[in-house]
Coordinates of all heavy atoms in Angstrom, one line a residue:
M1088 N 4.7 -33.7 4.1 CA 4.3 -32.2 4.1 C 5.7 -31.5 4.3 O 6.3 -31.8 5.3 CB 3.3 -31.8 5.1 CG 3.0 -30.4 5.0 SD 1.5 -30.1 6.2 CE 1.9 -28.7 7.0
N1089 N 6.1 -30.5 3.6 CA 7.2 -29.7 3.7 C 6.9 -28.6 4.8 O 5.9 -27.9 4.7 CB 7.6 -29.1 2.5 CG 8.2 -30.1 1.5 OD1 8.6 -31.1 1.8 ND2 8.2 -29.7 0.2
R1090 N 7.9 -28.5 5.7 CA 7.7 -27.5 6.7 C 8.2 -26.1 6.2 O 9.2 -26.1 5.4 CB 8.4 -27.8 7.9 CG 7.9 -29.0 8.6 CD 8.5 -29.2 10.0 NE 8.5 -28.1 10.8 CZ 7.5 -27.9 11.8 NH1 6.8 -28.8 12.1 NH2 7.5 -26.7 12.6
P1091 N 7.5 -25.0 6.5 CA 8.0 -23.8 6.0 C 9.3 -23.4 6.7 O 9.6 -23.7 7.9 CB 7.0 -22.7 6.6 CG 6.0 -23.5 7.3 CD 6.4 -25.0 7.2
S1092 N 10.3 -23.0 5.9 CA 11.7 -22.7 6.5 C 11.9 -21.2 6.7 O 12.7 -20.7 7.4 CB 12.7 -23.2 5.6 OG 12.5 -22.6 4.2
T1093 N 11.1 -20.2 6.1 CA 11.2 -18.9 6.2 C 10.6 -18.4 7.5 O 9.5 -18.7 7.7 CB 10.7 -18.1 5.0 OG1 11.3 -18.7 3.8 CG2 11.0 -16.6 5.2
L1094 N 11.3 -17.7 8.3 CA 10.8 -17.1 9.6 C 11.1 -15.6 9.5 O 12.2 -15.1 9.3 CB 11.4 -17.6 10.8 CG 11.0 -16.9 12.0 CD1 9.5 -17.1 12.4 CD2 11.8 -17.5 13.2
R1095 N 10.0 -14.8 9.7 CA 10.2 -13.3 9.7 C 9.5 -12.8 10.8 O 8.4 -13.3 11.4 CB 9.4 -12.7 8.4 CG 9.3 -11.2 8.3 CD 10.6 -10.6 7.9 NE 10.7 -9.3 8.1 CZ 10.5 -8.4 7.2 NH1 10.2 -8.8 5.9 NH2 10.5 -7.1 7.4
I1096 N 10.1 -11.9 11.6 CA 9.8 -11.3 12.8 C 9.4 -9.9 12.5 O 10.2 -9.1 11.9 CB 10.8 -11.3 14.0 CG1 11.1 -12.9 14.2 CG2 10.4 -10.6 15.1 CD1 12.3 -13.0 15.1
F1097 N 8.1 -9.5 12.8 CA 7.8 -8.2 12.7 C 7.5 -7.5 14.1 O 6.8 -8.0 14.9 CB 6.3 -8.0 12.1 CG 6.3 -8.5 10.6 CD1 6.0 -9.8 10.2 CD2 6.7 -7.6 9.5 CE1 6.1 -10.1 8.9 CE2 6.8 -8.0 8.2 CZ 6.4 -9.3 7.9
K1098 N 8.3 -6.4 14.3 CA 8.4 -5.8 15.7 C 7.1 -4.9 16.0 O 6.7 -4.6 17.0 CB 9.5 -5.0 15.8 CG 10.8 -5.8 15.9 CD 12.1 -5.0 16.1 CE 13.2 -5.9 16.0 NZ 14.6 -5.2 16.2
K1099 N 6.4 -4.6 14.9 CA 5.1 -3.8 15.0 C 4.1 -4.5 14.1 O 4.4 -5.2 13.2 CB 5.3 -2.4 14.4 CG 6.2 -1.5 15.3 CD 6.3 -0.2 14.7 CE 7.2 0.8 15.5 NZ 7.2 2.2 14.8
Y1100 N 2.9 -4.3 14.5 CA 1.7 -4.9 13.7 C 1.5 -3.8 12.6 O 0.9 -2.7 12.9 CB 0.6 -5.0 14.6 CG -0.7 -5.4 13.7 CD1 -0.7 -6.6 13.0 CD2 -1.8 -4.6 13.7 CE1 -1.8 -6.9 12.3 CE2 -2.9 -4.9 12.9 CZ -3.0 -6.2 12.2 OH -4.1 -6.5 11.5
Q1101 N 2.0 -4.1 11.4 CA 1.8 -3.2 10.2 C 1.1 -4.0 9.1 O 1.8 -4.7 8.4 CB 2.9 -2.5 9.8 CG 3.5 -1.5 10.8 CD 4.9 -1.1 10.5 OE1 5.7 -1.6 9.7 NE2 5.1 0.2 11.0
P1102 N -0.3 -4.1 9.0 CA -0.9 -5.0 8.2 C -0.3 -4.9 6.7 O -0.2 -6.0 6.0 CB -2.3 -4.6 8.3 CG -2.5 -3.9 9.4 CD -1.3 -3.2 9.7
R1103 N -0.2 -3.8 6.3 CA 0.2 -3.7 4.7 C 1.6 -4.2 4.6 O 1.9 -4.9 3.6 CB 0.3 -2.3 4.4 CG 0.5 -2.0 2.8 CD 0.1 -0.5 2.4 NE 0.2 -0.5 1.0 CZ -0.6 -0.6 0.2 NH1 -1.8 -1.2 0.6 NH2 -0.4 -0.5 -1.2
Q1104 N 2.5 -4.0 5.4 CA 3.9 -4.6 5.3 C 3.8 -6.1 5.5 O 4.5 -6.8 4.6 CB 4.8 -4.0 6.4 CG 6.3 -4.5 6.3 CD 7.1 -3.8 7.5 OE1 6.6 -3.4 8.4 NE2 8.4 -4.1 7.4
I1105 N 3.1 -6.6 6.4 CA 3.1 -8.1 6.6 C 2.3 -8.6 5.3 O 2.7 -9.8 5.0 CB 2.2 -8.3 7.8 CG1 3.0 -7.7 9.1 CG2 1.9 -9.8 8.1 CD1 2.1 -7.8 10.4
A1106 N 1.3 -8.0 4.8 CA 0.7 -8.5 3.5 C 1.6 -8.6 2.4 O 1.6 -9.6 1.6 CB -0.5 -7.6 3.3
K1107 N 2.5 -7.7 2.3 CA 3.5 -7.7 1.2 C 4.2 -9.0 1.3 O 4.8 -9.5 0.4 CB 4.3 -6.4 1.2 CG 3.6 -5.2 0.6 CD 4.5 -3.9 0.6 CE 3.6 -2.7 0.1 NZ 4.6 -1.6 0.0
F1108 N 4.8 -9.1 2.5 CA 5.6 -10.3 2.7 C 4.8 -11.6 2.5 O 5.2 -12.5 1.8 CB 6.2 -10.4 4.2 CG 6.9 -11.5 4.6 CD1 8.1 -11.7 4.3 CD2 6.2 -12.6 5.3 CE1 8.8 -12.8 4.6 CE2 6.9 -13.7 5.6 CZ 8.3 -13.9 5.3
A1109 N 3.6 -11.7 3.0 CA 2.8 -13.0 2.8 C 2.5 -13.2 1.3 O 2.4 -14.3 0.9 CB 1.4 -12.8 3.6
K1110 N 2.2 -12.1 0.6 CA 1.9 -12.2 -0.8 C 3.0 -12.8 -1.6 O 2.9 -13.6 -2.5 CB 1.6 -11.0 -1.4 CG 1.2 -10.9 -2.8 CD 0.8 -9.5 -3.3 CE 0.6 -9.5 -4.8 NZ 1.6 -8.7 -5.3
G1111 N 4.3 -12.6 -1.3 CA 5.4 -13.0 -2.0 C 5.9 -14.4 -1.6 O 6.7 -15.0 -2.1
F1112 N 5.3 -14.9 -0.4 CA 5.8 -16.2 0.0 C 4.7 -17.3 0.0 O 3.6 -16.9 0.5 CB 6.5 -16.2 1.4 CG 7.8 -15.7 1.4 CD1 8.0 -14.3 1.6 CD2 8.9 -16.5 1.4 CE1 9.3 -13.8 1.6 CE2 10.1 -16.1 1.4 CZ 10.4 -14.7 1.4
F1113 N 4.9 -18.5 -0.5 CA 3.9 -19.4 -0.5 C 3.7 -20.1 0.8 O 2.6 -20.4 1.2 CB 4.2 -20.5 -1.6 CG 3.1 -21.3 -2.2 CD1 2.1 -20.9 -2.8 CD2 3.1 -22.7 -1.8 CE1 1.0 -21.6 -3.2 CE2 2.0 -23.5 -2.2 CZ 1.0 -22.9 -2.9
N1114 N 4.8 -20.5 1.3 CA 4.8 -21.1 2.7 C 5.8 -20.3 3.6 O 6.9 -20.3 3.2 CB 5.0 -22.6 2.7 CG 4.0 -23.3 2.2 OD1 2.8 -23.1 2.4 ND2 4.2 -24.3 1.4
A1115 N 5.5 -20.0 4.8 CA 6.5 -19.2 5.6 C 5.9 -19.2 7.0 O 4.7 -19.7 7.4 CB 6.7 -17.9 5.1
R1116 N 6.7 -18.7 8.0 CA 6.3 -18.5 9.3 C 6.6 -17.1 9.7 O 7.6 -16.6 9.2 CB 7.0 -19.4 10.4 CG 6.6 -20.9 10.1 CD 7.6 -21.9 11.0 NE 8.9 -21.6 10.8 CZ 9.9 -21.9 11.5 NH1 9.6 -22.3 12.8 NH2 11.1 -21.7 11.2
I1117 N 5.6 -16.4 10.5 CA 5.9 -15.1 10.9 C 5.6 -15.0 12.4 O 4.8 -15.8 12.9 CB 5.1 -14.1 10.0 CG1 3.5 -14.3 10.2 CG2 5.5 -14.1 8.7 CD1 2.7 -13.3 9.5
F1118 N 6.2 -14.1 12.9 CA 5.9 -13.7 14.3 C 5.7 -12.2 14.3 O 6.5 -11.3 14.0 CB 7.1 -14.0 15.3 CG 6.9 -13.8 16.7 CD1 6.3 -14.6 17.5 CD2 7.3 -12.4 17.3 CE1 5.9 -14.3 18.8 CE2 7.1 -12.2 18.5 CZ 6.4 -13.1 19.3
I1119 N 4.6 -11.9 15.0 CA 4.2 -10.3 15.1 C 4.2 -10.0 16.6 O 3.6 -10.8 17.4 CB 2.7 -10.2 14.5 CG1 2.8 -10.6 13.0 CG2 2.5 -8.7 14.7 CD1 1.3 -10.5 12.5
A1120 N 5.0 -9.1 17.0 CA 5.1 -8.7 18.5 C 3.8 -8.4 19.0 O 3.1 -7.5 18.2 CB 6.1 -7.6 18.6
G1121 N 3.4 -8.9 20.1 CA 2.1 -8.6 20.8 C 1.0 -9.4 20.3 O -0.1 -9.5 21.0
L1122 N 1.2 -10.2 19.1 CA 0.1 -11.1 18.7 C 0.4 -12.6 18.8 O -0.3 -13.4 18.9 CB -0.3 -10.7 17.2 CG -1.1 -9.3 17.1 CD1 -1.3 -9.1 15.7 CD2 -2.4 -9.3 17.9
G1123 N 1.7 -12.8 18.4 CA 2.2 -14.3 18.4 C 2.5 -14.8 17.0 O 2.8 -14.0 16.1
R1124 N 2.6 -16.0 16.9 CA 3.0 -16.8 15.7 C 1.9 -17.0 14.7 O 0.8 -17.3 15.1 CB 3.6 -18.2 16.0 CG 4.7 -18.1 17.1 CD 5.3 -19.5 17.4 NE 4.2 -20.3 17.8 CZ 4.1 -21.7 17.7 NH1 5.2 -22.3 17.3 NH2 3.1 -22.5 18.2
F1125 N 2.3 -16.9 13.4 CA 1.3 -17.1 12.4 C 2.1 -18.0 11.2 O 3.2 -18.0 11.2 CB 0.8 -15.9 11.7 CG 0.0 -15.0 12.6 CD1 0.6 -14.2 13.6 CD2 -1.3 -15.0 12.6 CE1 -0.2 -13.3 14.4 CE2 -2.2 -14.2 13.4 CZ -1.5 -13.4 14.2
R1126 N 1.2 -18.6 10.4 CA 1.9 -19.3 9.3 C 1.2 -18.6 8.0 O 0.1 -18.1 8.1 CB 1.3 -20.8 9.3 CG 1.9 -21.6 10.4 CD 1.5 -23.0 10.2 NE 0.0 -23.0 10.8 CZ -0.8 -24.0 10.7 NH1 -0.3 -25.2 10.3 NH2 -2.0 -24.0 11.1
V1127 N 2.1 -18.7 7.0 CA 1.7 -18.2 5.7 C 1.5 -19.6 4.9 O 2.5 -20.2 4.5 CB 2.6 -17.2 5.0 CG1 2.2 -16.9 3.6 CG2 2.8 -16.0 5.9
I1128 N 0.2 -19.7 4.4 CA -0.1 -21.0 3.6 C -0.6 -20.5 2.4 O -1.8 -20.0 2.4 CB -1.0 -21.9 4.4 CG1 -0.4 -22.4 5.8 CG2 -1.4 -23.2 3.5 CD1 -1.2 -23.1 6.6
E1129 N 0.0 -20.8 1.2 CA -0.5 -20.4 -0.1 C -0.9 -18.9 -0.1 O -1.8 -18.5 -0.8 CB -1.7 -21.3 -0.5 CG -1.4 -22.6 -0.5 CD -2.6 -23.5 -1.0 OE1 -3.6 -23.0 -1.4 OE2 -2.5 -24.7 -0.9
G1130 N 0.1 -18.1 0.5 CA -0.2 -16.7 0.5 C -1.0 -16.1 1.3 O -1.4 -14.9 1.4
K1131 N -1.7 -16.9 2.3 CA -2.7 -16.4 3.2 C -2.1 -16.6 4.6 O -1.5 -17.7 4.9 CB -4.0 -17.1 3.0 CG -4.7 -17.1 1.8 CD -5.4 -15.6 1.7 CE -6.1 -15.5 0.3 NZ -6.6 -14.2 0.2
V1132 N -2.5 -15.7 5.4 CA -2.0 -15.7 6.9 C -3.1 -16.5 7.6 O -4.1 -16.3 7.8 CB -1.8 -14.3 7.5 CG1 -1.5 -14.4 8.9 CG2 -0.8 -13.6 6.7
V1133 N -2.5 -17.5 8.4 CA -3.2 -18.4 9.2 C -2.6 -18.5 10.7 O -1.5 -18.6 10.8 CB -3.3 -19.8 8.6 CG1 -4.2 -20.7 9.6 CG2 -3.8 -19.8 7.2
A1134 N -3.5 -18.4 11.7 CA -3.1 -18.4 13.0 C -2.9 -19.9 13.5 O -3.6 -20.8 13.0 CB -4.1 -17.8 14.0
Y1135 N -2.0 -20.2 14.4 CA -1.7 -21.4 14.9 C -2.9 -21.8 15.7 O -3.7 -20.9 16.3 CB -0.4 -21.5 15.7 CG 0.9 -21.6 15.0 CD1 1.5 -20.6 14.5 CD2 1.3 -22.8 14.7 CE1 2.6 -20.7 13.8 CE2 2.4 -23.1 13.9 CZ 3.1 -21.9 13.5 OH 4.3 -22.0 12.7
Q1136 N -3.2 -23.1 15.8 CA -4.4 -23.7 16.4 C -4.5 -23.1 17.9 O -5.6 -22.7 18.3 CB -4.4 -25.2 16.5 CG -5.8 -25.7 16.8 CD -6.8 -25.5 15.9 OE1 -6.6 -25.4 14.7 NE2 -8.1 -25.3 16.4
C1137 N -3.4 -22.9 18.6 CA -3.5 -22.6 20.0 C -3.8 -21.0 20.2 O -4.3 -20.6 21.2 CB -2.2 -22.8 20.7 SG -0.8 -21.9 20.0
L1138 N -3.7 -20.3 19.2 CA -4.0 -18.9 19.1 C -5.4 -18.5 18.6 O -5.7 -17.3 18.7 CB -2.9 -18.1 18.4 CG -1.6 -18.1 19.0 CD1 -0.6 -17.4 18.1 CD2 -1.5 -17.5 20.4
K1139 N -6.0 -19.5 18.0 CA -7.3 -19.1 17.3 C -8.4 -18.7 18.2 O -9.5 -18.2 17.7 CB -7.7 -20.3 16.4 CG -6.9 -20.5 15.1 CD -7.4 -21.6 14.2 CE -6.6 -21.6 13.0 NZ -7.1 -22.6 12.1
A1140 N -8.3 -19.1 19.4 CA -9.3 -18.6 20.4 C -9.3 -17.0 20.8 O -10.3 -16.7 21.2 CB -9.2 -19.4 21.7
E1141 N -8.2 -16.6 20.4 CA -8.1 -15.0 20.9 C -8.7 -14.2 19.7 O -8.3 -14.3 18.5 CB -6.6 -14.6 21.0 CG -5.9 -15.4 22.2 CD -4.6 -14.8 22.5 OE1 -4.4 -13.6 22.4 OE2 -3.7 -15.6 22.9
Q1142 N -9.6 -13.2 20.1 CA -10.2 -12.4 19.1 C -9.3 -11.5 18.3 O -9.4 -11.3 17.2 CB -11.4 -11.6 19.8 CG -12.3 -10.9 18.9 CD -13.2 -11.8 18.1 OE1 -13.4 -12.9 18.5 NE2 -13.7 -11.3 16.9
K1143 N -8.3 -11.0 19.0 CA -7.4 -10.0 18.3 C -6.6 -10.7 17.3 O -6.2 -10.1 16.3 CB -6.5 -9.3 19.4 CG -5.6 -10.2 20.1 CD -4.7 -9.4 21.0 CE -3.8 -10.3 21.8 NZ -3.1 -9.5 22.7
V1144 N -6.3 -12.0 17.4 CA -5.5 -12.7 16.5 C -6.3 -13.1 15.2 O -5.8 -12.9 14.1 CB -5.0 -14.2 17.2 CG1 -4.5 -14.9 16.1 CG2 -4.1 -13.8 18.3
I1145 N -7.6 -13.4 15.4 CA -8.5 -13.6 14.4 C -8.7 -12.4 13.5 O -8.7 -12.4 12.3 CB -9.9 -14.2 14.8 CG1 -9.6 -15.7 15.5 CG2 -10.9 -14.3 13.7 CD1 -10.8 -16.1 16.2
I1146 N -8.9 -11.3 14.2 CA -9.1 -9.9 13.5 C -7.8 -9.6 12.7 O -8.0 -9.1 11.7 CB -9.4 -8.8 14.5 CG1 -10.9 -9.0 15.1 CG2 -9.4 -7.5 13.9 CD1 -11.2 -8.3 16.2
A1147 N -6.6 -9.7 13.4 CA -5.4 -9.4 12.7 C -5.3 -10.2 11.5 O -4.9 -9.7 10.3 CB -4.3 -9.6 13.6
A1148 N -5.5 -11.5 11.5 CA -5.3 -12.5 10.4 C -6.3 -12.0 9.3 O -5.8 -12.0 8.1 CB -5.5 -13.9 10.9
S1149 N -7.5 -11.8 9.6 CA -8.5 -11.4 8.5 C -8.0 -10.1 7.9 O -8.2 -10.0 6.7 CB -9.8 -11.4 9.0 OG -10.0 -10.5 10.0
E1150 N -7.6 -9.1 8.7 CA -7.2 -7.8 8.2 C -6.0 -8.0 7.3 O -6.0 -7.3 6.2 CB -6.9 -6.9 9.3 CG -6.6 -5.5 8.8 CD -6.4 -4.6 10.0 OE1 -6.2 -5.1 11.2 OE2 -6.2 -3.4 9.8
I1151 N -5.1 -8.8 7.5 CA -3.8 -9.0 6.7 C -4.3 -9.7 5.5 O -3.9 -9.4 4.3 CB -2.8 -9.9 7.5 CG1 -2.3 -9.0 8.7 CG2 -1.6 -10.2 6.6 CD1 -1.5 -9.8 9.7
N1152 N -5.2 -10.8 5.6 CA -5.7 -11.4 4.3 C -6.4 -10.6 3.4 O -6.4 -10.6 2.2 CB -6.4 -12.7 4.8 CG -5.4 -13.7 5.3 OD1 -4.4 -13.9 5.0 ND2 -6.1 -14.6 6.1
K1153 N -7.2 -9.6 4.0 CA -8.0 -8.7 3.2 C -7.0 -7.7 2.4 O -7.2 -7.4 1.3 CB -8.8 -7.8 4.0 CG -9.7 -6.9 3.3 CD -10.5 -6.1 4.3 CE -11.2 -4.9 3.5 NZ -12.0 -4.1 4.5
M1154 N -5.9 -7.4 3.1 CA -4.8 -6.5 2.5 C -4.2 -7.3 1.4 O -3.8 -6.8 0.4 CB -3.8 -6.1 3.5 CG -2.9 -4.9 3.1 SD -3.9 -3.3 3.0 CE -4.2 -2.9 4.7
V1155 N -3.9 -8.6 1.6 CA -3.3 -9.4 0.6 C -4.1 -9.5 -0.6 O -3.6 -9.3 -1.8 CB -3.0 -10.9 1.0 CG1 -2.6 -11.8 0.0 CG2 -1.9 -10.8 2.1
S1156 N -5.4 -9.6 -0.6 CA -6.3 -9.7 -1.7 C -6.3 -8.3 -2.3 O -6.4 -8.2 -3.6 CB -7.6 -10.3 -1.3 OG -8.3 -9.3 -0.4
E1157 N -6.3 -7.3 -1.6 CA -6.2 -5.9 -2.2 C -5.0 -5.7 -3.0 O -4.9 -5.1 -4.0 CB -6.4 -4.7 -1.2 CG -7.8 -4.7 -0.7 CD -7.8 -3.8 0.4 OE1 -7.0 -2.9 0.8 OE2 -9.0 -3.6 1.2
L1158 N -3.9 -6.2 -2.5 CA -2.6 -6.0 -3.2 C -2.5 -6.9 -4.5 O -1.9 -6.5 -5.5 CB -1.4 -6.5 -2.3 CG -1.1 -5.4 -1.2 CD1 -0.1 -6.0 -0.2 CD2 -0.6 -4.1 -1.7
S1159 N -3.2 -8.0 -4.4 CA -3.2 -9.0 -5.5 C -4.1 -8.5 -6.6 O -3.9 -8.7 -7.8 CB -3.6 -10.4 -5.0 OG -2.8 -10.8 -4.1
N1160 N -5.3 -7.8 -6.3 CA -6.2 -7.4 -7.2 C -6.4 -5.8 -7.0 O -7.4 -5.5 -6.4 CB -7.5 -8.1 -7.0 CG -7.5 -9.7 -7.1 OD1 -6.7 -10.1 -7.9 ND2 -8.1 -10.3 -6.2
P1161 N -5.6 -5.0 -7.6 CA -5.7 -3.7 -7.4 C -6.9 -3.0 -8.1 O -7.3 -3.5 -9.2 CB -4.5 -3.0 -7.9 CG -3.9 -4.0 -8.8 CD -4.4 -5.4 -8.3
K1162 N -7.6 -2.1 -7.4 CA -8.8 -1.6 -8.0 C -8.4 -0.5 -9.2 O -7.3 0.2 -9.0 CB -9.5 -0.8 -7.1 CG -10.1 -1.7 -6.1 CD -10.9 -0.8 -4.9 CE -11.4 -1.8 -3.9 NZ -12.1 -1.1 -2.8
T1163 N -9.1 -0.7 -10.3 CA -8.8 0.4 -11.3 C -9.8 1.5 -11.2 O -10.9 1.3 -10.9 CB -8.9 -0.3 -12.8 OG1 -10.3 -0.8 -12.9 CG2 -7.9 -1.4 -13.0
I1164 N -9.3 2.7 -11.4 CA -10.0 3.9 -11.3 C -10.6 4.2 -12.6 O -9.7 4.4 -13.7 CB -9.3 5.1 -10.7 CG1 -8.8 4.6 -9.3 CG2 -10.1 6.3 -10.7 CD1 -7.9 5.7 -8.7
P1165 N -11.9 4.3 -13.0 CA -12.4 4.6 -14.2 C -12.1 6.0 -14.6 O -12.2 7.0 -13.7 CB -13.9 4.4 -14.1 CG -14.2 4.4 -12.7 CD -13.0 4.0 -12.0
A1166 N -11.8 6.2 -15.9 CA -11.3 7.5 -16.4 C -12.5 8.4 -16.8 O -13.6 8.0 -17.1 CB -10.4 7.4 -17.6

């Protein structure tokens, strides 16, 4: 298994900015100040096993992944 080599540090929790980064990378590692380390696997944000017990980490990862899917599939407005 290839280890992710890209590491990005986010000083603030900004889900849209993090989602844009995750969408562009297949495998990477990120660090979000106040939340901890995450992995980007196939464009989805996943918390490390040791952090999965924290509710705020789970909420943040799901919020970022929701934003990634919104960026990947933009809604069209009917005319």
Side-chain angles (χ1 to χ4, degrees):
M1088 181 171 139
N1089 293 337
R1090 292 189 55 104
S1092 60
T1093 304
L1094 173 64
R1095 175 76 190 266
I1096 298 172
F1097 293 95
K1098 294 181 181 179
K1099 292 182 184 178
Y1100 174 65
Q1101 297 173 330
R1103 188 167 183 86
Q1104 181 183 12
I1105 298 167
K1107 284 181 181 180
F1108 175 82
K1110 182 178 172 246
F1112 283 88
F1113 196 69
N1114 289 320
R1116 294 177 296 158
I1117 59 175
F1118 179 83
I1119 304 170
L1122 292 174
R1124 301 179 308 158
F1125 292 84
R1126 289 179 290 176
V1127 177
I1128 301 174
E1129 298 180 11
K1131 297 287 184 183
V1132 175
V1133 179
Y1135 279 89
Q1136 191 66 31
C1137 59
L1138 296 175
K1139 286 188 178 179
E1141 294 186 38
Q1142 187 68 22
K1143 64 181 182 178
V1144 171
I1145 295 169
I1146 291 170
S1149 65
E1150 185 176 9
I1151 295 167
N1152 288 331
K1153 181 180 175 189
M1154 193 72 66
V1155 168
S1156 66
E1157 287 176 8
L1158 289 171
S1159 297
N1160 304 318
K1162 295 178 182 176
T1163 57
I1164 301 172

